[in-house]
Amino acid sequence: VTDAVDAAFRNSAPQWFRARTTHEYDVVRQRVGRDVALERARILDFGCGELPVAAASFALRHPASSVTGCDVLALNARVLESSLREHAGQPVPSNLQVLQAPPNGFRWTGEPFDLVYSWSVFEHIPSADIRTNFALIRDCLAPGGVFFFQIGGLYFHTSGSHLGSVFPDEPWHHLTRSLDELESVVMSQPMAQDARLRLWRQFVELNRLTAEDFLDAAADAGLVLQSHENLRDKAHAPPARLLRSHTLDALVTSEIRAVFRAA
Ligand SMILES: C[S@@+](CC[C@H](N)C(=O)[O-])C[C@H]1O[C@@H](n2cnc3c(N)ncnc32)[C@H](O)[C@@H]1O
């Protein structure tokens, strides 16, 4: 690890930037660092976002690696450049390339990847397309390569709606309130109308799959599970009415982290 770069990320002031440049890297390294030589690896960030600071953080820490990011959204190159410069004093690294592909449309013709990771992506993919996207990832893994899969906001958890900022003190709001009530609270938020609409659209598009559903779909696509961990949040006790219609495990499982290899 390039120590000065790592320190610049860890000491950066904005919480969002510090989190995106340290948390993903730390978790991925901890889970796959023994299987993949990150110092000299071909890495894909699948669903890197329009502002791929996490992918940039891998590339800047490991200048002899090559990092590719892909997303259905276009890269916001101007804000990526200014964020890296202002918050960490770093340039956009030359070993990072970012590609845009339509849903289900990522086709990789380059050298296969030693590591693919996806972070908070698959809950946003329609359930009918989940297997296809796992297969796209399987197809671009090198022999012996690994896929690290993470979702931090599983749907049935307290704030699996991704509306936690709107309902900060109301766990499981999305399972206890009517859609009409949820929509009217979102639409009365003090924010620009297009931001309200984006937030609402993101909620209604969530695929509502559980950790087990994702593991099944990955296996179906030919990915072989090496290890996995479900993180459970026991801070809140689910209301009795939800326990009549949902399993306790689905209601408290907030995050899944799994490592796969191609079959
Ligand atoms: C919550 S963001 C996460 C971005 C980034 N991984 C991070 O953790 O900051 C989800 C991302 O998944 C992308 N996405 C949704 N469907 C996708 C698909 N079918 N293929 C690739 N990316 C997709 C979205 O455009 C969005 O950038």
Side-chain angles (χ1 to χ4, degrees):
V1 175
T2 315
D3 290 344
V5 172
D6 191 63
F9 292 143
R10 290 185 200 282
N11 296 327
S12 58
Q15 195 276 335
W16 72 268
F17 182 85
R18 198 167 62 251
R20 295 285 71 79
T21 53
T22 57
H23 184 51
E24 279 88 322
Y25 179 79
D26 287 346
V27 172
V28 172
R29 186 181 181 91
Q30 189 239 329
R31 296 307 299 264
V32 307
R34 280 187 302 276
D35 304 311
V36 181
L38 292 174
E39 296 67 30
R40 197 170 286 278
R42 304 182 51 81
I43 301 171
L44 172 67
D45 181 335
F46 185 87
C48 62
E50 57 193 332
L51 198 55
V53 284
S57 81
F58 279 74
L60 283 160
R61 284 183 172 95
H62 299 300
S65 289
S66 71
V67 180
T68 300
C70 75
D71 204 286
V72 296
L73 299 177
L75 168 69
N76 190 336
R78 193 179 49 78
V79 178
L80 178 65
E81 208 249 320
S82 62
S83 305
L84 290 171
R85 195 166 296 287
E86 278 169 34
H87 305 320
Q90 299 296 322
V92 176
S94 58
N95 57 334
L96 170 69
Q97 65 165 337
V98 181
L99 308 173
Q100 185 181 13
N104 307 325
F106 179 69
R107 298 287 179 281
W108 179 247
T109 52
E111 290 284 304
F113 295 103
D114 305 306
L115 167 66
V116 178
Y117 66 87
S118 79
W119 190 280
S120 296
V121 176
F122 272 67
E123 73 270 44
H124 302 284
I125 296 179
S127 58
D129 295 341
I130 292 292
R131 187 190 173 284
T132 303
N133 282 272
F134 279 134
L136 292 177
I137 289 173
R138 178 205 61 206
D139 289 347
C140 64
L141 275 177
V146 300
F147 169 42
F148 176 81
F149 170 70
Q150 187 271 5
I151 289 180
L154 287 166
Y155 186 78
F156 297 98
H157 173 246
T158 47
S159 52
S161 62
H162 293 45
L163 297 174
S165 59
V166 179
F167 298 93
D169 303 316
E170 204 182 315
W172 294 288
H173 48 270
H174 55 310
L175 304 182
T176 53
R177 289 200 189 220
S178 72
L179 281 177
D180 208 34
E181 284 172 352
L182 292 167
E183 186 176 21
S184 73
V185 177
V186 171
M187 290 306 164
S188 62
Q189 289 302 296
M191 51 173 69
Q193 178 67 358
D194 64 335
R196 293 185 194 124
L197 287 169
R198 263 203 311 278
L199 203 54
W200 182 247
R201 194 171 162 75
Q202 172 174 263
F203 166 61
V204 296
E205 288 182 353
L206 291 168
N207 59 36
R208 308 184 180 200
L209 298 179
T210 63
E212 289 71 26
D213 294 328
F214 287 113
L215 293 178
D216 284 354
D220 203 32
L223 288 163
V224 179
L225 186 65
Q226 305 294 298
S227 63
H228 95 283
E229 178 186 18
N230 285 353
L231 277 60
R232 294 179 175 85
D233 173 2
K234 303 269 173 67
H236 305 275
R241 65 178 273 205
L242 289 182
L243 286 166
R244 292 190 190 102
S245 53
H246 299 74
T247 67
L248 173 62
D249 204 45
L251 293 170
V252 299
T253 302
S254 56
E255 177 166 347
I256 178 168
R257 299 173 179 177
V259 177
F260 299 93
R261 287 189 193 276

